[in-house]
Amino acid sequence: MNFEKALNERIDFINEGLKTYLKPQYPEIIYEAMGYSVFAGGKRLRPLLLLGACEACGGDIKETLPFACAIEIIHTYTLIHDDLPAMDNDDYRRGKLTCHKAFSEDIAILAGDGLLNMGFEIMLEAAVKSGDPKFTKAAYTVGSLCGVKGTIGGQVVDLLSETKKADEKTLLYIHKAKTAALIEAALKAGALIGGADEETLAKLETAANKLGLAFQIKDDLLDITGTAEVLGKPIGSDDKNGKSTYISVFGLEKAQKDYLSLSEEANEIFESLGEKGAFLAEYCRRLVDRIN
């Protein structure tokens, strides 16, 4: 497999789908704000994992397009709301003004709301059209992991922990719910569409938790070791906002060590899926060395 070719083809596949769903219509400003954030230069991590999981389980990745787009759209809603003045109050993301700075706070809130709803419209439309319960299960999986039991719950505890140092248990909950949950949603939704059995779903859930925590640790590391030019946003924002991070709770040395071990453990699970999981395993390997 030519990984670079496959990666670029899949990113193009996802982006073309996103353009279709986010085609401007009335009222134009809300579509402009939603599109501005979706096409602000994201890595398409979650939809790529979704495609890879489907493929690893023997499925046709063409069937995943609505879900791949939906997971990216839902992820973008979380970023818009995360950047708001009432949350992290960030001015830049991916080297561009955040949505509330490029437009206005009220439009940014509505853009986030619009993207969240659009994500579920896309998934449910696909489920209704197909009549296949695997698509309904995939949509339910995403819904169960991006609500109060997942990303929203993680954001709540994250906010409550800003004025005090989180303990180890609380920090791990925040990272599992706020970061790993959507990665788990992507992997499990793709696997369900691919026809995975319960054993494989359990494996991917374990891999998602390890990969999600590793991904968040890397973000924490980059916040103190990276540069604003490469990251596309100011460094040191976690410290500025009084956030507890893996580094502040466990220390830099353990953070670096755990990042590598968690990444390797997740990759071992992907490799256990065999030849069909080759893209997923290689993509995970490359995430280890990311610089933004």
Side-chain angles (χ1 to χ4, degrees):
M1 178 186 66
N2 183 328
F3 178 80
E4 292 297 338
K5 183 173 182 291
L7 177 65
N8 291 329
E9 287 177 349
R10 291 171 193 218
I11 290 174
D12 288 344
F13 175 63
I14 294 160
N15 283 336
E16 288 304 310
L18 288 169
K19 288 175 186 176
T20 300
Y21 290 120
L22 288 159
K23 190 174 181 179
Q25 51 188 290
Y26 183 82
E28 288 83 1
I29 190 170
I30 194 67
Y31 283 91
E32 185 182 350
M34 292 191 297
Y36 173 86
S37 296
V38 170
F39 296 108
K43 292 180 278 292
R44 307 303 186 227
L45 165 72
R46 291 152 193 83
L48 286 168
L49 291 174
L50 193 149
L51 264 63
C54 176
E55 180 182 52
C57 295
D60 180 357
I61 63 173
K62 291 179 182 178
E63 287 190 319
T64 69
L65 184 60
F67 289 81
C69 290
I71 203 85
E72 185 69 6
I73 284 169
I74 291 169
H75 170 60
T76 305
Y77 123 77
T78 69
L79 300 182
I80 292 175
H81 282 190
D82 204 36
D83 290 335
L84 289 168
M87 301 285 189
D88 286 352
N89 195 23
D90 283 325
D91 293 345
Y92 290 92
R93 181 178 288 276
R94 299 167 178 165
K96 298 178 67 174
L97 288 171
T98 48
C99 191
H100 69 277
K101 285 293 183 180
F103 295 87
S104 60
E105 189 175 344
D106 49 4
I107 290 297
I109 292 170
L110 292 169
D113 292 345
L115 288 170
L116 174 60
N117 282 276
M118 179 180 284
F120 282 96
E121 289 170 17
I122 292 168
M123 290 188 293
L124 292 172
E125 180 184 35
V128 169
K129 280 185 176 180
S130 72
D132 191 327
K134 71 181 182 182
F135 294 103
T136 307
K137 289 178 182 177
Y140 172 78
T141 296
V142 175
S144 67
L145 288 164
C146 73
V148 293
K149 294 179 181 178
T151 53
I152 292 176
Q155 179 70 358
V156 170
V157 178
D158 193 21
L159 287 171
L160 293 174
S161 301
E162 282 187 2
T163 57
K164 58 183 178 180
K165 184 175 179 179
D167 58 31
E168 294 180 7
K169 182 179 179 181
T170 301
L171 184 76
L172 291 174
Y173 170 82
I174 292 169
H175 289 347
K176 184 178 188 300
K178 190 176 176 183
T179 303
L182 269 186
I183 289 176
E184 180 184 339
L187 287 169
K188 290 175 76 172
L192 284 165
I193 294 169
D197 56 25
E198 290 299 320
E199 181 182 353
T200 303
L201 285 172
K203 277 186 179 182
L204 289 173
E205 181 176 342
T206 300
N209 287 324
K210 292 179 181 296
L211 182 60
L213 182 53
F215 193 84
Q216 185 59 56
I217 295 172
K218 184 68 169 182
D219 273 357
D220 292 348
L221 289 167
L222 290 172
D223 193 56
I224 64 170
T225 63
T227 65
E229 291 76 19
V230 174
L231 292 180
K233 61 182 181 179
I235 61 171
S237 60
D238 290 335
D239 186 56
K240 178 192 74 174
N241 293 324
K243 283 182 174 291
S244 293
T245 67
Y246 205 90
I247 297 168
S248 69
V249 173
F250 293 100
L252 179 59
E253 184 178 351
K254 180 170 171 56
Q256 292 171 326
K257 180 180 178 181
D258 288 354
Y259 169 67
L260 291 173
S261 62
L262 286 163
S263 298
E264 290 169 1
E265 289 164 10
N267 196 56
E268 286 173 3
I269 294 173
F270 295 140
E271 287 179 337
S272 75
L273 299 174
E275 187 178 343
K276 290 180 180 178
F279 177 88
L280 203 54
E282 180 60 25
Y283 186 58
C284 179
R285 273 193 292 272
R286 297 195 179 208
L287 286 175
V288 175
D289 299 321
R290 71 185 178 95
I291 58 173
N292 59 23

